[in-house]
Amino acid sequence: MATFKQIKGFVFDLDGVITDTSLYHTKAWRQLAEKLGVTWNKDLEEGLKGISRMDSLELILKTGGKENDYSHDEKVALATEKNTNYVNEIKQMTPANILPGIKDFLDDLRDKGYLISLASASKNAPTVLKQLQLTDYFPKVVDPASLSKGKPDPEIYTKGAELLNLAPEQCIGVEDAEAGIQAINAANETSVGIGSAKTLSAADVRFDDTSQMTLANIEKAMA
Ligand code: BG6
Ligand code: MG
């Protein structure tokens, strides 16, 4: 692992780290899954975190043994239906939906001169940042449409560091999803996981929730 002194930038996931949109993603996917006759379960819910819209649909169909039941165009229509419901849900978001401690953490990073970028798989990330009034904190955002592979592939975290003109060793990636931690580790960045030890055992540093994520706690954990 890199030393804390080497760290110059932070590459953030959005959903589940900055704000709890997973509630809305889950609601919209579950509604679609049940309409398609796919039984929902907790493993499926967890597995959907971090992965792209089309990969999410494929995982849902596979879980229900329905991966060969739909044409490409039908799949695109199903994913669009889910997204319409999701976009409707996130309209109600306000800065009150920022997870505990995140605003202070971002202010601290900015005050201390750390560089910040966003590595979210979500095409709705700019809308969510706007709803949360956090757009100014993230001048550098990886465009998920530019990716050839989604998380757990390292590409999105590699690009997140490149946008900051930093080497991977100089970056910390922050994630709530197993696929995301794998992506950060494969990009040779230091991984900070937010969530349970069971799901995030591969994280270099882990906190139960965002309120514990401070520079002092990260420095302590990396010592
Ligand atoms: C990730 C979420 O950040 O973005 C996933 O964790 C979601 O649940 C993915 O499927 C893609 O989001 P969107 O908004 O482009 O459908
Ligand atoms: Mg996430």
Side-chain angles (χ1 to χ4, degrees):
M1 203 191 350
T3 62
F4 182 74
K5 266 193 180 327
Q6 281 177 277
I7 302 301
K8 301 280 179 258
F10 283 74
V11 186
F12 282 90
D13 175 42
L14 175 75
D15 295 315
V17 169
I18 306 290
T19 182
D20 204 0
T21 34
S22 64
L23 292 173
Y24 307 126
H25 277 299
T26 296
K27 189 174 166 192
W29 278 129
R30 187 170 182 159
Q31 196 177 324
L32 183 75
E34 286 172 354
K35 189 176 125 177
L36 301 178
V38 177
T39 310
W40 196 256
N41 67 67
K42 279 281 159 196
D43 283 347
L44 172 59
E45 187 170 319
E46 200 55 44
L48 292 175
K49 289 184 182 167
I51 64 174
S52 74
R53 195 179 305 167
M54 288 312 282
D55 286 351
S56 299
L57 177 65
E58 293 291 354
L59 182 60
I60 289 168
L61 293 176
K62 198 161 170 244
T63 302
K66 296 179 187 295
E67 60 269 49
N68 299 318
D69 291 8
Y70 298 93
S71 68
H72 175 72
D73 288 355
E74 285 168 335
K75 286 178 184 175
V76 170
L78 291 172
T80 303
E81 181 182 327
K82 178 267 172 181
N83 190 54
T84 303
N85 289 333
Y86 176 72
V87 168
N88 220 14
E89 291 285 342
I90 60 176
K91 279 186 192 148
Q92 60 185 293
M93 294 182 82
T94 70
N97 291 97
I98 299 172
L99 282 168
I102 289 292
K103 188 80 193 318
D104 287 345
F105 186 55
L106 290 172
D107 280 328
D108 199 26
L109 293 182
R110 214 151 72 160
D111 289 350
K112 296 197 166 105
Y114 288 94
L115 302 177
I116 301 174
S117 65
L118 193 76
S120 170
S122 174
K123 293 180 175 155
N124 293 299
T127 309
V128 172
L129 286 179
K130 203 167 154 208
Q131 294 290 123
L132 301 174
Q133 296 176 19
L134 289 179
T135 305
D136 291 352
Y137 287 86
F138 295 93
K140 308 279 183 188
V141 177
V142 179
D143 177 4
S146 73
L147 302 172
S148 57
K149 283 185 180 165
K151 300 169 187 178
D153 190 274
E155 187 179 11
I156 192 166
Y157 277 94
T158 302
K159 287 197 170 175
E162 280 171 5
L163 285 178
L164 303 177
N165 290 318
L166 293 176
E169 298 74 25
Q170 294 175 299
C171 292
I172 281 180
V174 190
E175 267 287 348
D176 67 312
E178 191 178 6
I181 294 292
Q182 287 169 5
I184 297 169
N185 292 346
N188 285 321
E189 296 166 20
T190 299
S191 54
V192 170
I194 306 290
S196 77
K198 189 171 157 254
T199 322
L200 305 178
S201 58
D204 295 317
V205 176
R206 190 193 60 81
F207 301 113
D208 286 334
D209 60 67
T210 50
S211 68
Q212 298 163 14
M213 183 168 58
T214 60
L215 279 172
N217 284 345
I218 293 172
E219 184 170 13
K220 220 182 293 167
M222 288 178 74

